[in-house]
Amino acid sequence: MTFINYAAREINCKIVYYGPGLGGKTTNIKYVYEKTNPNSKGKLISLATETDRTLFFDFLPLDLGEIRGFRTRFHLYTVPGQVFYDASRKLILKGVDGVVFVADSQAARMEANLESLRNLDLNLKEQGYDLRAIPYVLQLNKRDLPSALQVEEMKRQLIRKGEPVFEAIASKGNGVFETLKTIAKMVLIDLRKGR
């Protein structure tokens, strides 16, 4: 839920990167962190295992300028993709304003994408949200891999409501900021509607 601090003239929004394990959620956040002006970002906090897999979440506060005299601050989170961290994912979705689903383009990972998407839908409902109503963007990551499925096939299986879709190679930064800018814009439009 967007938090507006009128005294500090700040709008705080929460964006969660969701998707299957090793799909590129953390890679997205790390790229944003590396390429953002030091004055516009906070500290990147990662709780990772020894194998660099997200244990609980990654967190990055990001300042995206002003709107009508209010500073807009986005809080970017990832969730652990592994199936057994479902309680963590539910907790991180609390108060969410927008979701980026990072799908793994490899053919062998399509079932994991679909399972994670079903899990997202279910966990959002448990938090009182509707995937069809919340700002939502689909990112097709790892487009550079030889085993990547055709974009049209991925769209056919993963699109839920006509959401914006971005092809990405997060490890090289391709599509990362396009995805972030779009979800940030959608969240702000949603905020203006007064949700």
Side-chain angles (χ1 to χ4, degrees):
M1 192 172 99
T2 306
F3 174 69
I4 302 175
N5 183 336
Y6 287 95
R9 301 191 70 75
E10 278 184 359
I11 301 171
N12 292 279
C13 306
K14 182 177 186 180
I15 294 173
V16 175
Y17 284 71
Y18 213 94
L22 297 175
K25 302 177 294 296
T26 296
T27 308
N28 266 272
I29 297 257
K30 283 185 175 173
Y31 188 83
V32 170
Y33 179 78
E34 288 168 9
K35 297 298 178 185
T36 301
N37 181 331
N39 297 325
S40 302
K41 65 186 178 188
K43 191 175 178 183
L44 175 64
I45 298 169
S46 290
L47 297 177
T49 61
E50 289 174 4
T51 54
D52 218 23
R53 298 191 71 170
T54 304
L55 183 61
F56 195 68
F57 63 79
D58 304 303
F59 169 67
L60 174 62
L62 199 62
D63 197 339
L64 290 185
E66 289 193 1
I67 294 178
R68 295 182 184 171
F70 282 78
R71 287 176 61 191
T72 54
R73 187 167 290 174
F74 284 80
H75 300 249
L76 310 184
Y77 286 83
T78 66
V79 296
Q82 300 94 308
V83 174
F84 44 88
Y85 288 130
D86 196 44
S88 299
R89 287 193 292 275
K90 287 178 186 175
L91 193 62
I92 292 163
L93 280 175
K94 279 190 176 180
V96 68
D97 294 299
V99 176
V100 173
F101 188 87
V102 181
D104 189 326
S105 292
Q106 298 177 90
R109 298 293 292 159
M110 180 50 81
E111 189 51 44
N113 289 328
L114 291 167
E115 174 61 32
S116 183
L117 200 49
R118 285 190 290 268
N119 179 259
L120 169 64
D121 193 23
L122 183 67
N123 284 343
L124 281 172
K125 281 179 183 160
E126 285 189 18
Q127 302 295 330
Y129 300 102
D130 183 349
L131 179 61
R132 289 165 297 184
I134 196 167
Y136 175 72
V137 171
L138 173 63
Q139 184 190 79
L140 308 178
N141 193 27
K142 303 186 180 182
R143 296 304 309 158
D144 56 332
L145 296 183
S147 58
L149 285 171
Q150 294 293 316
V151 170
E152 289 311 313
E153 176 58 21
M154 292 197 73
K155 286 182 176 177
R156 188 185 68 76
Q157 295 199 50
L158 298 174
I159 282 183
R160 288 297 176 266
K161 59 176 187 176
E163 65 271 19
V165 180
F166 293 93
E167 295 181 42
I169 308 169
S171 59
K172 295 178 181 171
N174 298 4
V176 170
F177 276 100
E178 292 84 347
T179 302
L180 176 59
K181 285 176 186 171
T182 299
I183 191 66
K185 188 175 175 183
M186 290 171 76
V187 166
L188 292 174
I189 289 171
D190 200 53
L191 181 65
R192 285 196 189 107
K193 289 179 187 169
R195 287 191 197 185

